[in-house]
Amino acid sequence: MSRVPSEKEIPRFCGWNTFMKLPAGSSGRLGDCIGVFGVPFDGGTSYRAGARFGPQAVREASATLYPYHRRHHIHLLESAAVVDGGDLSVIPTDIEQTLRSIHRQVVERVGPGGRSLFLGGDHSVTLGLLRGIRELWGPLALVHFDSHSDLWDSFWGGRYNHATTFRRAVEEGLIDPNRSIQVGIRGSLETRQEAEFAKEFGIAEIDAQQWLKTGPEKTAEAVRRRVGTGPVYLSFDIDVVDPAYAPGTGTPEVGGPSSAVAIETLRGLAGLNVAAMDVVEVSPPYDHADITALLAATVAWEGLFLLVQARSPA
């Protein structure tokens, strides 16, 4: 099993800058380990850049997170081998080549049946991640937390960016729309047609107002009913949370849930067959006192427990 140094041995602000102070994995396939990987790319950003620095900031903020979960009554590192696999290689000036590279690296590093957590990066990286996880796991349900649907067809003539990720994923057969759901959608739109994107593709939607009205427990129940028992890819855009709690992001939208509501909803997904998860769109240049990075680290930490429980269901 993995081991992190005790605070009695070394202060948490010392030592290596891996996620949660986890051991660093090899540069090859991680085998039976759950791997944490950074994806430091923001070439798909349409407004405020800086998400390429997200993985580094999230890792640094994670230093204060420990391996025992008092709610799930699980010690992470007694349940699985978990390592930080470092960053995937990206090409800052070429988004399509980056997506192909991410796809290839996921297949090589994660391997068949492997479960993994990815730290972005902007939301365009999810397309490359989905290509890899789909190849390893087969058809995927998508659970997508975001203030935006990311179902645009193109942006300024470009078909690959953080606003088109899930349209491309549907077109490429990476996700099953009939088992997929988006949570937290809100904000102003340029045209009336944009409000119908999810319906157009058959993806279920729980907008921010519904989420806040029904609460975390019932929202999590609706997600569970939608995705069923098959493999799930969980994508968490930090801008789904209100910018009062997560200002450090590229396209913030007011009127979202608190960090507590978001985390409680994630905890309600325990037992889903989560194959992989990402946490994206953290832009440290716009953060204040690292609160966005800490929230993203905590979301990722919660995600590791979802992966562990999917790996070893009760």
Side-chain angles (χ1 to χ4, degrees), residues 151-153 167 170-171 177-178 192-205:
L151 284 167
W152 280 53
D153 183 49
R167 182 179 288 252
V170 173
E171 291 171 348
N178 295 318
R192 182 179 289 106
Q193 288 71 32
E194 293 171 47
E196 304 299 319
F197 280 166
K199 186 182 296 184
E200 176 186 342
F201 289 103
I203 298 172
E205 179 183 295

Side-chain angles (χ1 to χ4, degrees), residues 72-74 79 224 270-272 305-314:
H72 294 310
H73 307 293
I74 293 172
S79 304
R224 298 172 70 92
L272 287 186
F305 287 92
L306 297 180
L307 290 166
V308 164
Q309 291 176 89
R311 185 173 181 268
S312 303

